[in-house]
Each structure stands twice: as C-alpha cells, then as structure tokens.
Amino acid sequence: MRGACACAVVCALVALCAAAELDEATRAAAEKQLLALLGLPRRPPPRRRPPPPVPRAMRLLYDGRSSLPAAAANTARAFYHTPSDLDDRFPAEHRFRLFFNISGVPSDEVARGADLSFQRDVGTTGSQRLLLYDVVRPGRRGHTEPILRLLDSVPLRPEEGIVNADALGAARRWLEEPKHNHGLLVRVLEEGAASKDAKFPHVRVRRRATDVEEEWRTVQPLLMLYTEDERARVAREAGEPRLTRSKRAAQRRGHRAHHRRKEAREICQRRPLFVDFADVGWSDWIVAPHGYDAYYCQGDCPFPLPDHLNGTNHAIVQTLVNSVNPATVPKACCVPTQLSSISMLYMDEMNNVVLKNYQDMMVVGCGCR
Ligand SMILES: *[C@@H]1O[C@H](CO)[C@@H](O)[C@H](O)[C@H]1NC(C)=O
Ligand SMILES: *[C@@H]1O[C@H](CO)[C@@H](O)[C@H](O)[C@H]1NC(C)=O
C-alpha cells in the first residue's frame, strides 16, 4: 500500500539510481521521463573538456546569493559575444557591435529579462553615457542607413568598472525572428562639459593574443538571458504556489541515504534521500550540484491522526473509517505536502552555461492525505 504513496519524481530518480539492475529499455524509458521533467529534448552531450568557467552572475544565482531578476523566469542562460569579421568594421572603442548567438534557446522559452554586462577600464575622466541599440536592420555602406532601436541609456560613472544595460527588447525580438539578429550596437557619448581629450572607456570585445582564457572570460561582454519555459508557464498560470528555494547550504549537507527498511510503527515523516547524479550517470553534463537532497515521505498515518501530520479533514475521516473497519478503506497515505525547488547548472549543446530552477524537487514537509 505504501509504495503507491511515494512521489513520482523521487520514484523516477530512485529508479535511475538503481539503473545498474535495470534492463536497457527500462533505463532508457526512465531517462526519457526524467529529461522531459527537466524540460530537455535530449541528454546534452557529455563534456569532453572541463566545463568553461561559470560566469560570476551565474554563480551568484546558483549559490542563492542573488535571485532570477524577472519574477516569472525559471532559467538563466549565459552568452558570450561571438567574434566575426564584422567586428573589424568597428575599430573604435566608443562604438562597437556585439553579437550573441541565442539561436539554440528552445522555442518554448519566453524572454523575461536580458542583462548585458561588460567591464571597462576604470578611472576615465568626464561624464559619459552609454547607449545600447538593437540593430533591427543593418545599414549598407553608401546605400542605406541602419535601423536602430534604442534599448537602454546608462550613465557611466568613472569609478564603476562593470556596466549593465537592459537588452530585453532585443532578446525578445531575436527569439521571435532568429534570422534578424544583427547584434547590438553600443555607443559611448561624452556628456556635458567634458574635455575634448577625455578618454573613452575601454571596453574590450576582442581577445588579445596575450590573454589567458580564464582572464578573458571574466572581462569579455556577457549577455545573461532570463527565460520562462513552458512547464513553468503552465504551472504559473494554474496558480501553483511557488515556494522559495531553501538555503542551498542545507541541500549540500546531504549524505547518501541508506534506504531504511519500513518499520510498521514508524510515524509518517520526512526521510533522507540523496540523489547522486554520478549514480544516474549524469555527472558528465550537469556542472552542479553533484547531487541533491530529494527526501521522501514514509510512515504510518495512525488513528487518531495527530495535528503535526498535516492531515486534511478528508484524511482524518478516512483514518477514522479505517480504524472502525480496515477492510473498507486503507489508511491515509504519507505523502509530500510541501515541496521546494532546486537549481541546476548544466552546459547546453553549444557549450553555454544554463541555470534552471526546477519546481517541486525536494520534500519540505510530509503529511497524511
Ligand atoms: C548560431 O549557432 C547555430 C548553432 O550552433 C549555428 O548553426 C549558426 O550558424 C550560428 N549563427 C551565427 C550567425 O553564428
Ligand atoms: C507538516 O508540514 C510542515 C510544513 O510543511 C512541516 O514542517 C512538518 O515537518 C510536516 N510534518 C511532517 C510529519 O513532516
């Protein structure tokens, strides 16, 4: 009876954990189900090289030190400027083009936020302003002027090395019309009474031959795209309560659960279950975490049902009827009554870092239902 009470998510994971004993077809079916749950069309290819460094903004999100800026977003994707010959047309540092190839974003994802950030050399004098444009149609030299749409206007302070600008309007358009992604144009203007020979801020689009890969990664322009996928949208529209993620630290403290044998008299409660992605064979594409505390619910729902067992009125009645005549109905089931989300970092097929929040992955509270 109790087996039927277990949560489907945990069942799928546990099934995979024991995959060594499963035949190939069952294992494939379980993997397919779990990938669908994670909203992935297929298993990302295994990483051959060590994963590229996770951008700081992504790291902060993952650690729970910052949250997804758009309320509805459940996914964050990081993109770096894709260098091309077109870059050479913008040799100046006060006017340059950035191109982010977001063509790999699944079509069910809707842009909820897009944040462009780059580093510049600090200590430039004078007051400056950065203008960010979406290149709706590129110009043709001597023929037509480009069509530009202003996205953001940001005052630059001399002491600030990191500049952030809002690129949501462009990201939305690129997702709708992928063929018309002509990049972003960045212009830096001198404002007010700045002296003529004030230096333009130095923003680097190109990597120098002397740059070490890791250092370059930290200074090159980065686009953080925040999206909401189909699953999250359906859940939100159905009015599912969104539980905030509990402290990451608590999740990390998990230890591999030893499956405890059912003891009839043990009361319904939350029990430890650590899902180790290495056991599932997924540690080659999931960057972090290595695994997580899923927990599960198990135990007896005795009569009379104590308050702390989070029973519904219906569960109380069912337990009462069962105590009078056990043959008519079973006891209430010990199930998760409160779940919370976890975050996972992985590399997509184009080697971009992706962070996803997955709802209802971890048991917070159990109860008799
Ligand atoms: C963007 O990436 C896709 C998939 O890798 C590729 O097919 C396409 O050519 C790229 N587009 C540009 C403009 O680089
Ligand atoms: C009942 O729910 C609360 C809140 O979700 C939780 O703290 C408590 O542990 C639950 N009771 C049991 C037996 O798990």
Side-chain angles (χ1 to χ4, degrees):
M1 186 58 60
R2 263 189 225 122
C5 297
C7 160
V9 172
V10 175
C11 276
L13 290 166
V14 171
L16 277 177
C17 295
E21 294 131 45
L22 292 179
D23 63 76
E24 205 41 50
T26 315
R27 188 195 157 96
E31 179 165 285
K32 193 162 165 239
Q33 191 173 17
L34 194 44
L35 286 172
L37 177 89
L38 300 184
L40 297 172
R42 63 194 148 266
R43 185 188 199 287
R47 278 179 277 123
R48 292 205 174 74
R49 291 172 292 149
V54 175
R56 197 181 118 80
M58 200 67 110
R59 194 36 84 181
L60 292 177
L61 280 174
Y62 178 72
D63 290 342
R65 279 181 285 155
S66 69
S67 49
L68 290 168
N74 75 321
T75 306
R77 294 173 183 274
F79 298 93
Y80 292 108
H81 165 64
T82 311
S84 76
D85 295 344
L86 275 177
D87 295 348
D88 299 333
R89 282 203 216 154
F90 301 88
E93 282 165 359
H94 63 284
R95 185 184 159 88
F96 56 93
R97 175 188 168 271
L98 294 172
F99 179 79
F100 300 97
N101 190 348
I102 66 168
S103 68
V105 176
S107 56
D108 68 304
E109 293 189 16
V110 178
R112 298 291 183 206
D115 188 24
L116 175 65
S117 66
F118 39 87
Q119 293 247 334
R120 59 189 192 120
D121 291 344
V122 292
T124 47
T125 52
S127 145
Q128 296 169 324
R129 179 165 293 273
L130 178 143
L131 298 178
L132 180 66
Y133 300 89
D134 178 14
V135 182
V136 178
R137 198 185 70 193
R140 286 197 300 139
R141 205 171 282 169
H143 292 276
T144 50
E145 287 293 304
I147 298 177
L148 304 175
R149 191 159 61 105
L150 183 66
L151 296 169
D152 204 357
S153 162
V154 189
L156 301 179
R157 286 171 234 300
E159 69 281 6
E160 275 169 353
I162 297 180
V163 181
N164 290 82
D166 182 358
L168 178 59
R172 277 219 181 99
R173 200 178 65 76
W174 300 339
L175 288 179
E176 276 162 25
E177 327 166 5
K179 289 209 182 77
H180 300 286
N181 175 355
H182 307 293
L184 298 168
L185 180 72
V186 181
R187 288 176 66 204
V188 179
L189 305 179
E190 292 292 326
E191 278 195 331
S195 79
K196 280 221 182 68
D197 37 39
K199 289 246 175 61
F200 287 115
H202 190 124
V203 176
R204 289 166 50 199
V205 179
R206 262 153 289 190
R207 182 178 168 182
R208 290 188 197 124
T210 52
D211 282 335
V212 181
E213 171 83 26
E214 287 91 79
E215 282 170 24
W216 171 233
R217 284 271 170 181
T218 65
V219 298
Q220 72 173 317
L222 174 76
L223 179 74
M224 290 288 288
L225 176 64
Y226 304 101
T227 60
E228 182 181 28
D229 62 20
E230 179 85 42
R231 288 180 63 87
R233 197 159 59 249
V234 168
R236 181 170 53 78
E237 281 162 9
E240 264 183 26
R242 283 182 153 245
L243 296 169
T244 51
R245 182 152 60 109
S246 69
K247 284 264 174 299
R248 307 283 323 173
Q251 294 188 16
R252 299 253 170 65
R253 253 179 268 130
H255 297 294
R256 193 180 293 253
H258 35 270
H259 244 99
R260 273 203 262 168
R261 286 258 55 91
K262 301 170 195 168
E263 277 169 42
R265 238 152 290 142
E266 269 194 294
I267 278 295
C268 172
Q269 59 181 275
R270 190 178 79 158
R271 301 173 194 267
L273 167 64
F274 183 75
V275 176
D276 189 332
F277 292 131
D279 291 348
V280 189
W282 283 13
S283 50
D284 57 355
W285 61 272
I286 296 177
V287 177
H290 297 304
Y292 84 105
D293 283 303
Y295 300 101
Y296 70 104
C297 297
Q298 194 182 55
D300 192 27
C301 291
F303 171 80
L305 211 51
D307 281 351
H308 74 274
L309 290 187
N310 297 318
T312 51
N313 286 345
H314 178 270
I316 292 167
V317 173
Q318 185 175 333
T319 310
L320 171 70
V321 176
N322 169 273
S323 73
V324 177
N325 186 353
T328 46
V329 283
K331 283 183 178 173
C333 265
C334 178
V335 295
T337 51
Q338 197 184 352
L339 294 155
S340 76
S341 59
I342 65 159
S343 287
M344 269 168 49
L345 281 180
Y346 64 90
M347 311 304 300
D348 70 8
E349 290 174 17
M350 267 115 79
N351 230 29
N352 296 311
V353 184
V354 180
L355 174 138
K356 278 238 186 216
N357 264 350
Y358 294 108
Q359 299 292 307
D360 300 345
M361 290 288 280
M362 193 171 94
V363 176
V364 175
C366 299
C368 293
R369 295 288 154 95

